[in-house]
Amino acid sequence: MGASKSEAFSAEQQNLAALAKALAHPARIAIIQHLLQVDSCICGDLVHELPLSQPTISQHLKELKLAGIIKGNIEGSSICYCIHPNQIAPLHSFISQLLKCTETNSSCC
Amino acid sequence: MGASKSEAFSAEQQNLAALAKALAHPARIAIIQHLLQVDSCICGDLVHELPLSQPTISQHLKELKLAGIIKGNIEGSSICYCIHPNQIAPLHSFISQLLKCTETNSSCC
DNA sequence: AAGTTTTATCGTAATATTGCAATATATAAA
DNA sequence: TTTATATATTGCAATATTACGATAAAACTT
């Protein structure tokens, strides 16, 4: 009758899904793209870049932080965010497997 | 007041988010892992592999199909599913960018 | 045609996500 | 200490996702 039967799956499966979920919103993609562009750290001018309110952006940042995809350092009165890609490696290699599948397994379907 | 302001973002951002969303559930990760393992195609024995009902699995398959990550071919009275990784390439290269960031941009934060 | 098998869809309940106004917290500046 | 600036948290409404029983649709078997 409801949602969330995820306990029934392996830790690895849950981890991959959680990483993907962190990327599963255009605003969070946009935040990451901005951080990649600016290269150095960025704080709250995301509020000026994106068509969302400050609380909403703060919430998206929190989710990215929780997933380990970004990091935030306090710097004076503002907070400096930046990419912290260590955690996302498993998702990358999972997708790599998918891509390899085309070459080796082209007979299927 | 609600959800979904995604029209405000670029088509690329929406596409990347949609691809990530397709992977953002342990059951769908499990389905893909099974398809990778079995190598050749698989149909409804996913129902026996996974702790979910047939309608629920059918629904997850539909989402993966919609995202272009798997393909289904009718084969007699059953349907043969397999990986179809062409669509997911953009997400892979997006994450690749993230991973590159560690090396080049280690000064930040 | 009737029955069997396999997958999809509908309807609905439970839960999760998204978005923002209002408010709280924290640091800096005066 | 007061004020300004920057970010986080709370509370709530709107919407989306997840799960499954019931049922439908499609193809094979007899």
Side-chain angles (χ1 to χ4, degrees):
Chain A
M1 295 103 183
S4 176
K5 212 170 177 180
S6 52
E7 339 77 38
F9 295 91
S10 76
E12 188 204 10
Q13 288 163 343
Q14 289 184 48
N15 182 44
L16 289 170
L19 287 169
K21 188 177 279 188
L23 302 180
H25 194 286
R28 294 194 287 273
I29 296 286
I31 288 173
I32 294 171
Q33 283 179 336
H34 192 75
L35 286 174
L36 284 171
Q37 261 188 17
V38 179
D39 191 68
S40 73
C41 303
I42 270 293
C43 30
D45 25 33
L46 285 165
V47 178
H48 298 111
E49 292 284 338
L50 303 183
L52 294 171
S53 73
Q54 181 270 319
T56 302
I57 288 174
S58 184
Q59 197 175 287
H60 283 304
L61 285 169
K62 189 183 181 183
E63 284 181 63
L64 287 171
K65 221 189 316 177
L66 247 162
I69 295 173
I70 66 173
K71 238 169 55 170
N73 275 15
I74 299 175
E75 222 166 70
S77 67
S78 66
I79 290 181
C80 164
Y81 281 107
C82 63
I83 303 292
H84 179 65
N86 300 16
Q87 308 291 325
I88 215 173
L91 183 60
H92 189 254
S93 59
F94 178 71
I95 298 176
S96 296
Q97 276 185 281
L98 281 188
L99 289 173
K100 260 182 234 155
C101 185
T102 354
E103 305 153 20
T104 61
N105 196 21
S106 54
S107 62
C108 167
C109 289
Chain B
M1 297 103 178
S4 175
K5 212 172 176 178
S6 52
E7 339 77 38
F9 296 91
S10 75
E12 188 203 10
Q13 288 163 342
Q14 291 184 48
N15 182 45
L16 290 170
L19 287 169
K21 187 177 280 186
L23 303 180
H25 194 286
R28 294 195 287 273
I29 296 285
I31 288 173
I32 293 171
Q33 282 179 336
H34 192 76
L35 286 175
L36 284 171
Q37 261 188 17
V38 180
D39 191 67
S40 73
C41 304
I42 269 292
C43 31
D45 25 34
L46 285 164
V47 176
H48 299 110
E49 292 285 338
L50 304 184
L52 295 172
S53 71
Q54 181 270 318
T56 303
I57 289 175
S58 184
Q59 197 174 287
H60 283 304
L61 286 169
K62 189 182 179 183
E63 284 181 63
L64 287 170
K65 223 188 316 175
L66 246 161
I69 294 172
I70 66 173
K71 238 168 54 170
N73 275 15
I74 299 175
E75 220 166 71
S77 67
S78 66
I79 290 183
C80 164
Y81 281 106
C82 62
I83 303 290
H84 179 63
N86 299 16
Q87 307 292 324
I88 216 174
L91 184 59
H92 189 254
S93 59
F94 178 72
I95 298 176
S96 296
Q97 276 185 282
L98 281 187
L99 289 172
K100 259 181 237 157
C101 186
T102 353
E103 307 153 18
T104 61
N105 195 21
S106 55
S107 62
C108 167
C109 289

